[in-house]
Amino acid sequence: MKSVKRILGTGCLVLATSAVVAQSDFGVWTSIEGSTKLNKKMELSLEGEYRTQDMSTMTERVSGAVNLSFKDKNFLPFLKADVGYTYMYMQYMGETEVKYKEDEDGVLTDVPKHKNVDAAYWTARHRATASLTGSFKWGRVKFSLRERYQYTYRMAAECDRERYYYNEPFQEWDPNPELMVDEKLAKSDHKLRTRLQVSYDIKKCPFEPFAEVEVYNELDNAFALDKVRYTVGTEYKINKENKLKVFYRYQDYADIDEVSGHVLGLGYAFEF
């Protein structure tokens, strides 16, 4: 018992230290979902979601989604297929980028040329998904593997920009910026999301804890790794038609320019 306590204590210390040292963000994700069976094989669901970012001080996105799933209990009962569409209205945080001068050979120097300070801005995204999920039970433990294709289109947008020029003789930035508007071009991406989940059905208990790992790969960039999600949580069954879900998630981005972060999630689902 003492060994277990020491291991848990060490683990908590490592996690706490990592959270302090690493540059990471924190956000809260909340959602509400309603679903109904169209027939014995098909189910329709609608979901609304709200997310925060920047240590949960500002909105990240507001979204609405519709999903249609199909499962035949008489033919391949362990498989479920679904397609979905999500509309997202997203806020991008402001950022600063420094541009450097080049020498006669076109090589970048360490002398700044100017810096762009972009304000936060909003833009819309459209997302379509298609998934295939296989699952099986071993006693009270359930394993599932989901493969999901995801296409996202980001609409064009504009943001306010302040450009500060560097005064090299005085080695300081000009305090009077040039004001301009930067155009963010529309773009799209294709991703494959692979999720492995394990859950445990506790006998005569409304709680069902789960853990999952989801890997994102970029299909339009030689299958490059985009990010990995690690999630632990539990579902709480209120009654036959209503349930809650609480989870903690860590998102680890492969791109060093992206900020990895911690997420606390709370969801409510009901059947109608």
Side-chain angles (χ1 to χ4, degrees), residues 158-196:
E158 294 181 345
C159 79
D160 294 328
R161 168 174 288 180
E162 295 180 349
R163 174 168 292 178
Y164 295 84
Y165 291 94
Y166 188 69
N167 191 327
E168 189 174 349
F170 293 94
Q171 297 185 351
E172 63 181 12
W173 293 101
D174 189 332
N176 301 310
E178 178 184 355
L179 304 181
M180 58 184 64
V181 175
D182 182 53
E183 296 185 0
K184 306 294 184 181
L185 300 178
K187 66 178 183 179
S188 61
D189 61 63
H190 303 261
K191 289 184 173 65
L192 179 67
R193 298 168 53 175
T194 303
R195 188 193 71 182
L196 176 63

Side-chain angles (χ1 to χ4, degrees), residues 32 107 137 189 216 246 262:
I32 181 170
V107 179
K137 283 188 175 182
D189 61 63
Y216 286 62
V246 180
H262 309 269

Side-chain angles (χ1 to χ4, degrees), residues 203-221:
K203 188 176 182 180
K204 296 182 180 180
C205 180
F207 290 97
E208 185 173 331
F210 65 89
E212 63 184 45
V213 177
E214 186 170 21
V215 180
Y216 286 62
N217 291 100
E218 301 175 1
L219 297 178
D220 47 6
N221 187 25

